[in-house]
């Protein structure tokens, strides 16, 4: 478990250092995720390996981990109320556009190949 | 009594306890409702903790002295998202070309339509940046919002809401538009409604769930890569 957590933290650390050193507009943990993905494809560890087990343990309660960030919304209640229309419309329009684009493109590209 | 309250407000114990208790309550409700999409544990937790902070008159910053300890683990958990992506990656071969085109294009469409709709309806620059990453899975959208100058807590809530929207409405919308292929449906759901949409997809059909999970991981990476570039042009 400790070894697994160390691997996850090492990837995050590497990601944080890389984005700062190269001045990238990316979050360190996302670069760390890409790095771990490459490592996993390369080493192909079993489901019993410490890294996989630590990852599964953290992801089991993933929702718990973003409660603290989400609670911060209490400080933006006025903004939510004042900008309710752009927020609701932006959410709905962009969600529908993304959904139809992806489903449509997949179907279209498969048909062309067939 | 006020001395006790003062101690409580400054102790990390309160933040950790409230967060865990709110989440526990959320899970309970999720189970009792048979896993209803609206009863997301995180949403219940946010509302419960928010109300408790208001009732006890605790500032958000004071809450964070404790809750920050839990929030810290969001970083390594985001890294850990590579594991489910790795597990689903073999599906990439089945549908490589359609996926490698549809997911980045879908991510770009989500970002651009979100920003332009908010702008057209009078939302400011910060709100546009807050809305832009919302289709990514919540841990990633929070981090992206912070990187590009949005309001991370608001992005978190928007991501959760868009996830719930997907779990509740996406299957019906896709059926209405006559998308029957399980792989196309799964990819579309994961692309706009990340993990919450994926759990609905898994519930409906295993193939749909697998492709939704894969799509969620790839979409998170696509949105992360595209956001800074798109903000240069829109």
């Amino acid at each position: 478990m400790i070894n697994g957590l160390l691997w996850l933290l090492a990837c995050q650390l590497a990601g944080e250092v890389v984005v700062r050193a190269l001045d990238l507009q990316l979050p360190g943990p996302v670069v760390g995720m890409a790095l771990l993905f490459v490592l996993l494809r390369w080493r192909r560890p079993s489901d019993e390996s410490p890294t996989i087990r630590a990852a599964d343990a953290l992801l089991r309660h993933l929702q718990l981990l973003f409660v603290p960030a989400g609670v911060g919304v209490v400080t933006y209640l006025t903004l939510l109320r004042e900008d309710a229309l752009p927020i609701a419309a932006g959410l709905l329009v962009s969600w529908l556009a993304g959904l139809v684009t992806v489903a449509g493109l997949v179907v279209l590209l498969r048909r062309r190949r067939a | 009594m006020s001395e006790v309250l003062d101690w409580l407000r400054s102790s990390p114990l309160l933040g950790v306890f409230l967060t865990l208790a709110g989440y526990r309550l959320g899970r309970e409700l999720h189970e009792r409702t048979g896993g209803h999409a609206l009863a997301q544990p995180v949403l219940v937790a946010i509302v419960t903790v928010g109300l408790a902070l208001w009732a006890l008159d605790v500032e958000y910053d004071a809450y964070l002295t404790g809750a920050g300890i839990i929030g810290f683990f969001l970083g390594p958990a985001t890294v850990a998202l590579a594991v489910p992506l790795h597990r689903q990656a073999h599906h990439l071969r089945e549908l490589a070309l359609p996926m490698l085109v549809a997911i980045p294009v879908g991510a770009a469409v989500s970002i651009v339509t979100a920003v332009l709709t908010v702008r057209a309806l009078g939302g400011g620059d910060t709100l546009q940046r807050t809305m832009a990453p919302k289709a990514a899975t919540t841990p990633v959208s929070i981090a992206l919002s912070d990187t590009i100058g949005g309001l991370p807590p608001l992005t978190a809530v928007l991501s959760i809401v868009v996830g719930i929207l997907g779990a509740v409405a996406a299957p019906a919308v896709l059926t209405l538009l006559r998308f029957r292929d399980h792989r196309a449906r799964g990819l579309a759901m994961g692309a706009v409604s990340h993990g919450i949409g994926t759990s609905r997809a898994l519930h409906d059909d295993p193939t749909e769930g697998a492709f939704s999970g894969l799509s969620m991981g790839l979409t998170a990476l696509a949105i992360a890569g595209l956001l800074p570039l798109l903000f240069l042009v829109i």
Side-chain angles (χ1 to χ4, degrees):
Chain A
M1 186 70 193
I2 297 289
N3 276 343
L5 201 54
L6 273 173
W7 272 106
L8 297 178
L9 288 173
C11 286
Q12 187 186 351
L13 202 62
E16 302 279 9
V17 170
V18 165
V19 297
R20 279 165 185 78
L22 301 179
D23 201 20
L24 297 176
Q25 243 200 326
L26 283 171
V30 174
V31 174
M33 170 193 168
L35 181 65
L36 180 62
F37 180 69
V38 171
L39 285 172
L40 292 171
R41 297 312 289 171
W42 175 41
R43 302 293 304 268
R44 298 186 175 271
S46 78
D47 273 357
E48 297 307 307
S49 85
T51 312
I52 304 282
R53 282 170 54 197
D56 285 340
L58 273 176
L59 292 178
R60 191 168 308 133
H61 294 291
L62 181 61
Q63 285 205 351
L64 166 69
L65 307 181
F66 51 86
V67 171
V71 171
V73 80
V74 296
T75 50
Y76 299 115
L77 291 180
T78 330
L79 186 138
L80 262 178
R81 203 168 37 234
E82 283 170 357
D83 281 329
L85 178 68
I87 291 173
L91 211 64
L92 210 63
V93 168
S94 137
W95 175 80
L96 195 61
L99 188 77
V100 174
T101 303
V102 174
L105 271 178
V106 171
V107 169
L108 202 74
L109 289 165
R110 289 192 65 201
R111 203 175 292 156
R112 273 192 48 185
R113 211 177 47 164
Chain B
M1 187 62 194
S2 78
E3 231 172 85
V4 177
L5 268 178
D6 280 344
W7 170 79
L8 210 55
R9 284 185 193 118
S10 61
S11 162
L13 188 58
L14 184 74
V16 174
F17 183 83
L18 283 180
T19 307
L20 275 172
Y23 178 70
R24 180 70 190 78
L25 185 74
R27 284 183 61 94
E28 187 79 33
L29 232 69
H30 192 69
E31 268 167 41
R32 291 262 173 104
T33 57
H36 195 282
L38 274 173
Q40 289 300 320
V42 60
L43 202 62
V44 174
I46 289 172
V47 173
T48 316
V49 174
L51 286 173
L53 295 183
W54 172 73
L56 295 167
D57 194 22
V58 178
E59 296 282 330
Y60 179 59
D61 284 340
Y63 161 73
L64 274 187
T65 49
I69 301 170
I70 293 173
F72 168 80
F73 287 94
L74 197 55
T78 305
V79 174
L81 287 170
V83 169
L85 186 58
H86 165 66
R87 283 197 183 119
Q88 302 297 347
H90 62 274
H91 287 300
L92 252 171
R93 287 192 205 105
E94 295 169 41
L95 219 59
L97 179 74
M99 233 188 274
L100 292 178
V101 175
I103 286 176
V105 174
V109 167
S110 289
I111 297 168
V112 172
T113 51
V115 170
L116 294 184
T117 309
V118 171
R119 191 182 293 166
L121 294 171
D125 184 55
T126 312
L127 191 61
Q128 293 166 29
R129 287 170 186 273
T130 302
M131 183 70 83
K134 61 99 187 64
T137 178
T138 317
V140 174
S141 78
I142 291 172
L144 286 171
S145 178
D146 193 35
T147 312
I148 61 164
L151 307 167
L154 200 52
T155 303
V157 172
L158 294 176
S159 283
I160 296 163
V161 170
V162 91
I164 293 174
L165 181 65
V168 174
V173 172
L174 289 168
T175 304
L176 193 73
L177 296 173
R178 309 229 169 102
F179 290 110
R180 291 191 196 91
D181 183 274
H182 286 304
R183 294 185 284 192
R185 289 171 67 99
L187 288 170
M189 283 178 75
V192 292
S193 294
H194 52 90
I196 302 176
T198 298
S199 49
R200 168 70 198 262
L202 264 174
H203 177 268
D204 289 356
D205 180 88
T207 314
E208 211 164 298
F211 278 87
S212 181
L214 179 58
S215 174
M216 157 184 117
L218 295 174
T219 297
L221 292 174
I223 290 181
L226 287 169
L227 262 185
L229 302 176
L230 286 175
F231 265 107
L232 294 175
V233 287
I234 52 174

